[in-house]
Amino acid sequence: MNLKKYLHNVPLYVPGVKKEGALKMASNENPLGPSPAALNALRALLPSLHMYPDGANKELKEALAHRYSIVPEQLILGNGSDELLQFTALACLSPGENTVAFKQTFSIYETATKLMGGTIRQQPFNNGNFSLDAMLQHIDASTRIAFVCNPNNPTGTYLNEAAIKRFMDAVPAHVLVVIDEAYAEYATADDFPDTIKMTARYPNMLVLRTFSKLYGLAGLRLGYGIASPDIIQGLERVRMPFNTNAAIQAAAVAALNDTTFIAQSLQVNETGKAYLYPALKKIGMQTIPTQTNFIYFDAGRNAQEIFVKLMDLGVTIRPLTSFGFPQSLRVTVGTPEQNEFFMTLLEKVV
Ligand SMILES: *Cc1c(COP(=O)(O)O)cnc(C)c1O
């Protein structure tokens, strides 16, 4: 096989570790499991699995459009938001061109960029947050995409409405701004941006959301993008006709309306945060306030070692060495029992 030269630069994804018999708090999955309404919809679907899914995703797009007071023409669906990130690179980026992103962030932006033979310019975390003003300085005539993770994985930090607006007003029109909001449903800050509304005003803005976190459907794979109809039409050209399967189409419509499950999930997250912050602080961990369903903490020593010891004791979390934080870890907020179990083990380790 003659691999394209630039593909040798594409990093392979490092997933959260799942270990037989150990509790997994490593991938920000919903600790309550999948939405029960989604499970019912899945059971009802089984007898029609011989049929192709609806390639146009009509029902799901209408449900999402209704939820966000937009039109279906402003939506594109992907096999996870990972696939939508890949679409942006496929549609916009050519070899020799570049993208911009934060340095300590979700790795798929780099993967998607390098897949197309592009280069990525990364703005490092500084003084407890990321600066979009600084990111702007990396943009030139060959920049095609700005990837903004908000709230950011793995720090849990966020950029507010004013910061996003200032960036959008300053960024040149030839740059597609992708706001990855995988955790936005968990955000509690009053000034967390309403980017879906902003897509009506900015024709170069794409907002990404997912069913993998709050809705508990990571295993079925569904992400969605919201933008101007022009951007959506462009991205539709790189989408294969049946990229989202019939199972997730049925499950997602049900999950979207499962208000009881959504409220419970948010409640469990708030309870978990209220318990974990003081508990982590008490044993000397330095934390950053989160707008997500995970907590970043700096242990002040080798994160990989802590990770391995915790795994041996029975819980996996995420060491952030591959993100560029060799002394920090990220733990998914669990149920009260899971959080207490995790803290008991962490206390033993440190
Ligand atoms: C989990 C996550 C996603 C979601 O990916 P899916 O492909 O939809 O499962 C996207 N972006 C970030 C930053 C994430 O942490």
Side-chain angles (χ1 to χ4, degrees):
M1 184 174 81
N2 224 350
L3 203 61
K4 287 183 204 166
K5 255 197 200 107
Y6 58 73
L7 285 188
H8 293 282
N9 298 328
V10 177
L12 296 176
Y13 187 68
V14 186
V17 174
K18 187 173 174 184
K19 192 194 165 207
E20 194 64 39
L23 171 65
K24 187 178 175 212
M25 299 171 84
S27 298
N28 308 332
E29 291 139 338
N30 191 320
L32 298 183
S35 145
L39 291 184
N40 285 336
L42 272 178
R43 280 185 209 103
L45 170 80
L46 295 180
S48 16
L49 279 182
H50 60 297
M51 309 286 284
Y52 272 98
D54 171 18
N57 278 296
K58 191 165 182 292
E59 192 188 354
L60 180 49
K61 278 192 180 177
E62 277 170 4
L64 285 165
H66 179 72
R67 159 64 54 92
Y68 293 115
S69 306
I70 55 175
V71 293
E73 292 71 25
Q74 284 175 271
L75 283 158
I76 184 164
L77 306 187
N79 193 269
S81 36
D82 286 358
E83 190 187 40
L84 295 169
L85 289 165
Q86 192 189 63
F87 286 176
T88 65
L90 282 171
C92 301
L93 194 65
S94 300
E97 294 176 339
N98 70 73
T99 65
V100 295
F102 298 132
K103 182 156 175 55
Q104 294 88 354
T105 193
F106 195 48
S107 65
I108 302 297
Y109 314 137
E110 180 179 354
T111 309
T113 299
K114 294 185 171 171
L115 174 69
M116 298 310 298
T119 52
I120 186 162
R121 302 172 172 187
Q122 295 166 313
Q123 176 60 34
F125 194 60
N126 188 19
N127 272 332
N129 213 333
F130 291 97
S131 164
L132 283 177
D133 298 333
M135 186 189 269
L136 210 48
Q137 308 303 313
H138 298 293
I139 291 176
D140 64 16
S142 300
T143 305
R144 294 292 168 264
I145 308 170
F147 294 109
V148 179
C149 191
N150 197 38
N152 186 54
N153 179 4
T155 51
T157 52
Y158 79 107
L159 296 153
N160 68 16
E161 171 110 6
I164 298 281
K165 275 201 172 132
R166 197 164 61 240
F167 184 71
M168 290 309 305
D169 286 333
V171 81
H174 67 266
V175 177
L176 174 68
V177 179
V178 179
I179 316 271
D180 181 353
E181 296 191 343
Y183 302 95
E185 294 94 342
Y186 292 102
T188 51
D190 287 341
D191 59 350
F192 190 80
D194 184 350
T195 49
I196 293 177
K197 213 172 187 178
M198 280 186 220
T199 58
R201 194 170 133 201
Y202 299 108
N204 58 334
M205 184 176 199
L206 171 69
V207 178
L208 299 184
R209 296 271 182 110
T210 181
F211 278 77
S212 295
K213 308 286 156 58
L214 178 67
Y215 297 98
L217 295 172
L220 282 183
R221 318 297 303 127
L222 183 75
Y224 54 103
I226 299 173
S228 63
D230 272 358
I231 293 182
I232 299 299
Q233 277 173 29
L235 294 176
E236 282 287 349
R237 291 174 189 274
V238 297
R239 185 181 72 84
M240 292 294 131
F242 304 110
N243 67 321
T244 57
N245 64 65
I248 188 60
Q249 290 183 10
V253 172
L256 198 60
N257 298 310
D258 195 350
T259 47
T260 312
F261 177 77
I262 293 169
Q264 277 172 352
S265 301
L266 294 174
Q267 179 60 49
V268 161
N269 198 54
E270 288 310 305
T271 307
K273 279 159 59 184
Y275 165 78
L276 285 168
Y277 272 104
L280 285 165
K281 195 172 169 204
K282 206 171 143 203
I283 58 169
M285 303 291 133
Q286 290 217 20
T287 57
I288 301 179
T290 190
Q291 291 291 321
T292 67
N293 68 339
F294 58 80
I295 295 176
Y296 167 103
F297 63 95
D298 184 339
R301 55 201 181 91
N302 192 299
Q304 188 65 26
E305 281 172 21
I306 294 178
F307 160 72
V308 171
K309 284 182 184 163
L310 281 173
M311 180 162 62
D312 290 343
L313 288 173
V315 64
T316 63
I317 65 170
R318 195 79 144 82
L320 299 180
T321 315
S322 72
F323 286 78
F325 293 120
Q327 300 201 328
S328 301
L329 301 104
R330 186 194 75 196
V331 62
T332 305
V333 176
T335 62
E337 298 73 31
Q338 292 172 343
N339 297 332
E340 282 169 33
F341 178 65
F342 159 70
M343 282 309 306
T344 309
L345 302 193
L346 183 62
E347 277 168 38
K348 265 190 204 152
V349 168
V350 299

